[in-house]
């Protein structure tokens, strides 16, 4: 595998979608201000591949969301366990000999 760099573009909106000659053209943009939208990149996808690509993006989003939820749940459990052991430890330490 070669060490090729891929251009990165920050986008926060879909600007335009069109279809001609079996190819979808999807323009992604940045909304600079309420009235200023700047196109950043246009992606050309063969129509017969679009469902597969959209499903792949959807699957990736779902997997990442699942992992984030699991990490948050583990962090909450760890915090609760630490809080619980801290309270019981404090009670044991408060006894004087």
């Amino acid at each position: 595998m070669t060490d090729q760099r891929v251009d990165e573009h920050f986008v926060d909106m879909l600007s335009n979608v069109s279809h001609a000659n079996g190819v979808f053209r999807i323009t992604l943009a940045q909304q600079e201000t309420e009235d200023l939208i700047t196109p950043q990149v246009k992606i050309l996808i063969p129509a017969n591949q679009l469902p597969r690509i959209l499903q792949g993006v959807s699957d990736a989003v779902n997997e990442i969301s699942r992992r984030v939820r699991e990490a948050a749940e583990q962090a909450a459990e760890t915090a609760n366990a630490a809080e619980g052991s801290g309270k019981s430890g404090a009670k044991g330490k408060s006894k004087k000999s």
Side-chain angles (χ1 to χ4, degrees):
M1 191 163 150
T2 62
D3 186 28
Q4 293 180 337
R5 302 269 180 203
V6 176
D7 290 343
E8 294 182 0
H9 301 273
F10 176 81
V11 298
D12 57 5
M13 68 178 304
L14 187 63
S15 174
N16 187 42
V17 177
S18 63
H19 177 267
N21 300 320
V23 177
F24 277 92
R25 290 156 179 82
I26 302 170
T27 304
L28 304 172
Q30 285 182 11
Q31 185 161 5
E32 305 286 339
T33 65
E34 188 173 325
D35 298 328
L36 179 61
I37 296 170
T38 307
Q40 295 297 310
V41 64
K42 184 181 287 189
I43 301 171
L44 282 69
I45 303 173
N48 66 340
Q49 295 299 315
L50 187 62
R52 184 181 61 83
I53 290 170
L54 293 177
Q55 186 63 53
V57 170
S58 177
D59 291 347
V61 167
N62 290 336
E63 177 64 17
I64 291 167
S65 295
R66 182 187 64 76
R67 289 180 185 179
V68 167
R69 270 193 313 275
E70 286 177 358
E73 289 169 1
Q74 283 182 336
E77 288 173 7
T78 301
N80 289 339
E83 185 178 293
S85 67
K87 287 181 180 177
S88 64
K91 288 181 183 177
K93 290 181 181 179
S94 63
K95 292 182 180 179
K96 293 185 181 179
S97 324

